[in-house]
Amino acid sequence: MSLVNGLPAHVLLVHFVVVLVPLTAIAVVASAVWPSVARRMGVVLPVLALVTLASVPLTTSAGEWLEEHVGSDALVRRHAELGDGLLPWALGLFVLAAAVWWTTRRTSPSEQTGNRSASVVRIAAAVLSVVVAAGAVVDVYRIGDSGAKAAWHDGYSKTAKGSGDGDD
């Protein structure tokens, strides 16, 4: 994917990733911590994580195309390197979302609270979900920050152009 309506596709697709990764991270953690949330979300949880997972390689592929069409400098290369690291986090979110959904739908609420082994599994899933979700969100932030720096480092003036003396 290269251009959408004359704009680089990466510029548009990145917005999906920036929204979907944190949203999926919150949903996975909430579902892992509170089985009632997982039951209410149902199949939406793994579907959301799957859409998130699919958006990452689409966005990085479009980013690779864009990288070939802009002047390469250290900031662009850094952004591209960071972007390549998001896929494992998105995959982790998907695997955890599917596991939480699968285990929640297979057990009743009373089995989840009364069974010691179910409690241990739920606690492990919750801890793992928090770790993967935090990693994914921090990675998205780092990637976005590096992308903004690459795109805007020389693209604007700190003073407004043509603003007169500024007493408006």
Side-chain angles (χ1 to χ4, degrees):
M1 186 173 278
S2 55
L3 296 174
V4 174
N5 202 24
L7 292 173
H10 180 72
V11 175
L12 301 171
L13 293 172
V14 73
H15 291 86
F16 289 105
V17 172
V18 167
V19 171
L20 289 175
V21 169
L23 180 65
T24 302
I26 291 168
V28 168
V29 169
S31 296
V33 171
W34 297 288
S36 61
V37 172
R39 281 191 296 280
R40 273 187 250 133
M41 287 197 73
V43 75
V44 170
L45 179 64
V47 168
L48 173 64
L50 181 61
V51 170
T52 301
L53 177 60
S55 71
V56 171
L58 285 173
T59 303
T60 55
S61 175
E64 289 167 0
W65 179 90
L66 182 58
E67 183 181 14
E68 294 172 4
H69 291 82
V70 297
S72 182
D73 64 15
L75 293 174
V76 171
R77 286 189 299 277
R78 175 72 176 148
H79 176 63
E81 289 169 9
L82 288 172
D84 288 338
L86 185 58
L87 188 57
W89 292 113
L91 180 60
L93 286 173
F94 173 70
V95 168
L96 285 165
V100 167
W101 169 74
W102 181 258
T103 56
T104 302
R105 77 179 205 87
R106 296 200 50 165
T107 56
S108 68
S110 61
E111 289 175 323
Q112 289 175 352
T113 56
N115 186 340
R116 180 175 163 84
S117 64
S119 295
V120 170
V121 168
R122 197 178 92 232
I123 290 169
V127 169
L128 193 55
S129 295
V130 168
V131 169
V132 171
V137 170
V138 167
D139 207 29
V140 164
Y141 170 80
R142 292 177 63 222
I143 295 164
D145 183 61
S146 71
K149 286 176 181 171
W152 292 99
H153 71 281
D154 284 333
Y156 73 99
S157 172
K158 291 183 181 180
T159 59
K161 297 192 185 272
S163 66
D165 59 22
D167 290 335
D168 296 329

